[in-house]
Amino acid sequence: MNKSGKFKLLPALPFVAAAMMLASRLYYRMARPLRRAGKPVETGQNRSRSIIHNASDAIISTDGSQTILEANPSAAAMFGTTVQAMEGAALQQFIPREQRMSGEQAAVSYFGATGIHLRMKGRRASDYAVTGLKASGELFPLEGSISSQTEEGRPIYTIILRDITERKQVQQQLEHSYTQLRELSAALQTIREEERTHIARELHDDLGQLLATLRVDLNLLQQQPPDSAGARKLQQGMDGLLVTAITSLRRIASNLRPRALDEGGLYFALQTLRQEFVERHGIDCELHADEQELTLDDAYSTTIFRIVQEALTNIARHAAARRVQLDLHRIDSSLLITIEDDGRGIAEGDMDKATSFGLIGMRERVWAIHGDISIGSDGSRGTSIAIRLPLPPRAAPA
């Protein structure tokens, strides 16, 4: 992979192809005078064949009609067959023309329409990609280079191939991750705007109305004689409005930032979250943790609280569970978090859905502090979430 994040396409293959072609040409140029002089050339020929035989890349030689003249053991292993079965067979048998991938339109496809087509100018040979066919019938992606030379008046083509199945899988995983991140980013932007709208509405409809009423009552109070019954009634009403305003302000602030985190720390915040979860959803929830082990800095405490909060939200929405168990324990320099429910479980395909923003958000929070997360379910007996978070070293006692 290069610095831009893209995979480099087999830079060694063009050089290998060029070296093979050059060696072959030198061999035949040197062989002609030796033949005329009646001298043996078996040593050079054996050496060339030994190089091809022991090469780790698949090497195939074909004639102009795309009949395989020679194949090395790596090529036979790649296609799941034997060298004897490949030699003399049509190239079409192992690289079907209908399965060939096109790079820049089908006009410059790897091997051409009627024969082997070369397009070396302005393009690296290793950029060509095709689909191979194993003896078992399995299709797999290949990448390779091709070179040509003339032997005894006929063209001979040397093809060097490499299986890129693993690279394709990694590319697909990266593309899937990028898609998830883009959709998560868009979802977070939408959520952020919805949160802002919600807060603005609460401030206007709740606190705004209370403050406006207080201002009206204050004006009326100024018009009343001191110590009159009307003044005392207005004062009592204003006091009640102030209490309501303070309650509303605390509720709005608590929605933005859990107050329990600041007042009692992570353990107290999780206990409060557990209690609210039970009261709101009627689902039994147990918390097993040690308060001393959960004495962490603000960044870790907030991240862990949000992870547990997101997990409980997902359980309430989708699991149809009756019981939830939370376990948080510190082992050496790591915090192990286990969240289990007895609900209907989560399907394997749903775990990687781009729209599963709750799971994606949990993973991103865990990965942001270099932790590990695994989600297990057999699809019928609940879901188990296991998280390991590396923790900063504890401060030495003063």
Side-chain angles (χ1 to χ4, degrees):
M1 180 181 290
N2 57 25
K3 294 181 179 180
S4 63
K6 297 181 179 179
F7 283 88
K8 194 172 182 180
L9 299 177
L10 299 180
L13 282 176
F15 299 103
V16 175
M20 293 292 298
M21 184 169 61
L22 179 60
S24 181
R25 288 178 178 175
L26 289 174
Y27 165 71
Y28 279 99
R29 287 182 182 176
M30 296 174 63
R32 287 193 187 98
L34 290 174
R35 287 194 186 97
R36 294 192 191 102
K39 296 181 179 180
V41 294
E42 291 300 321
T43 302
Q45 187 177 13
N46 290 340
R47 185 181 300 114
S48 177
R49 289 191 174 183
S50 177
I51 293 173
I52 295 175
H53 181 86
N54 295 313
S56 59
D57 290 325
I59 301 176
I60 299 173
S61 295
T62 71
D63 59 16
S65 63
Q66 297 192 19
T67 299
I68 298 176
L69 303 177
E70 187 175 357
N72 68 347
S74 295
M78 175 182 290
F79 291 99
T81 183
T82 63
V83 172
Q84 292 75 15
M86 293 189 71
E87 293 178 348
L91 185 63
Q92 166 77 11
Q93 180 178 339
F94 302 98
I95 307 179
R97 183 175 287 108
E98 65 273 10
Q99 292 292 340
R100 291 170 191 170
M101 303 176 185
S102 57
E104 299 173 354
Q105 210 173 9
V108 289
S109 59
Y110 186 16
F111 293 108
T114 58
I116 298 178
H117 180 78
L118 296 176
R119 187 178 181 234
M120 304 294 292
K121 184 177 180 181
R123 182 187 178 103
R124 296 185 310 173
S126 62
D127 287 344
Y128 293 107
V130 293
T131 298
L133 177 63
K134 294 186 178 183
S136 62
E138 176 187 354
L139 295 172
F140 64 105
L142 291 171
E143 184 179 69
S145 62
I146 182 171
S147 61
S148 72
Q149 63 186 35
T150 301
E151 296 180 9
E152 300 178 356
R154 63 172 184 166
I156 300 297
Y157 300 93
T158 301
I159 307 163
I160 302 178
L161 298 169
R162 186 171 294 176
D163 188 342
I164 57 172
T165 301
E166 292 185 2
R167 185 197 304 171
K168 288 289 184 182
Q169 292 173 347
V170 171
Q171 287 176 336
Q172 291 174 356
Q173 291 174 356
L174 287 175
E175 290 173 0
H176 181 63
S177 297
Y178 291 151
T179 299
Q180 284 186 325
L181 288 176
R182 284 195 298 268
E183 294 186 355
L184 176 61
S185 178
L188 291 177
Q189 185 66 27
T190 302
I191 293 172
R192 185 180 296 112
E193 293 301 323
E194 291 176 351
E195 288 280 349
R196 289 174 177 173
T197 302
H198 176 71
I199 294 170
R201 185 180 298 115
E202 289 213 39
L203 291 174
H204 178 270
D205 296 346
D206 202 337
L207 288 178
Q209 295 294 337
L210 288 172
L211 293 175
T213 304
L214 279 171
R215 187 172 185 275
V216 172
D217 288 351
L218 180 60
N219 290 332
L220 294 175
L221 180 61
Q222 291 173 347
Q223 299 172 13
Q224 295 291 327
D227 298 329
S228 64
R232 288 193 296 271
K233 184 177 180 181
L234 285 171
Q235 289 173 354
Q236 291 175 355
M238 293 173 66
D239 183 68
L241 288 174
L242 285 172
V243 171
T244 304
I246 293 172
T247 303
S248 298
L249 181 60
R250 287 178 174 174
R251 175 175 51 80
I252 295 172
S254 179
N255 290 335
L256 297 176
R257 161 78 178 180
R259 188 161 51 96
L261 272 176
D262 299 323
E263 295 181 350
L266 179 58
Y267 180 80
F268 177 67
L270 291 176
Q271 285 285 16
T272 303
L273 179 64
R274 182 201 66 81
Q275 184 177 354
E276 292 176 351
F277 177 79
V278 173
E279 292 175 354
R280 181 176 301 177
H281 303 288
I283 301 174
D284 182 36
C285 182
E286 297 180 3
L287 173 63
H288 301 153
D290 186 336
E291 183 175 358
Q292 295 299 322
E293 292 182 349
L294 298 184
T295 304
L296 305 169
D297 61 31
D298 182 69
Y300 274 81
S301 296
T302 303
T303 298
I304 295 169
F305 179 86
R306 294 302 186 189
I307 290 172
V308 176
Q309 184 182 47
E310 186 62 53
L312 292 179
T313 300
N314 288 339
I315 292 172
R317 289 179 178 175
H318 309 295
R322 294 177 297 177
R323 182 176 176 274
V324 180
Q325 180 169 315
L326 308 175
D327 292 280
L328 295 90
H329 296 290
R330 186 165 186 162
I331 299 179
D332 297 329
S333 59
S334 298
L335 182 68
L336 303 183
I337 305 173
T338 304
I339 305 169
E340 298 179 336
D341 68 74
D342 62 351
R344 56 179 165 227
I346 181 172
E348 184 71 24
D350 293 336
M351 295 184 188
D352 295 321
K353 277 186 177 179
T355 54
S356 300
F357 298 122
L359 297 178
I360 296 174
M362 290 174 60
R363 290 192 182 107
E364 291 302 316
R365 290 183 188 275
V366 171
W367 292 340
I369 53 178
H370 310 290
D372 299 319
I373 179 173
S374 63
I375 303 173
S377 175
D378 62 2
S380 61
R381 296 182 179 178
T383 302
S384 176
I385 302 174
I387 301 170
R388 184 193 63 82
L389 299 178
L391 298 177
R394 295 182 179 181

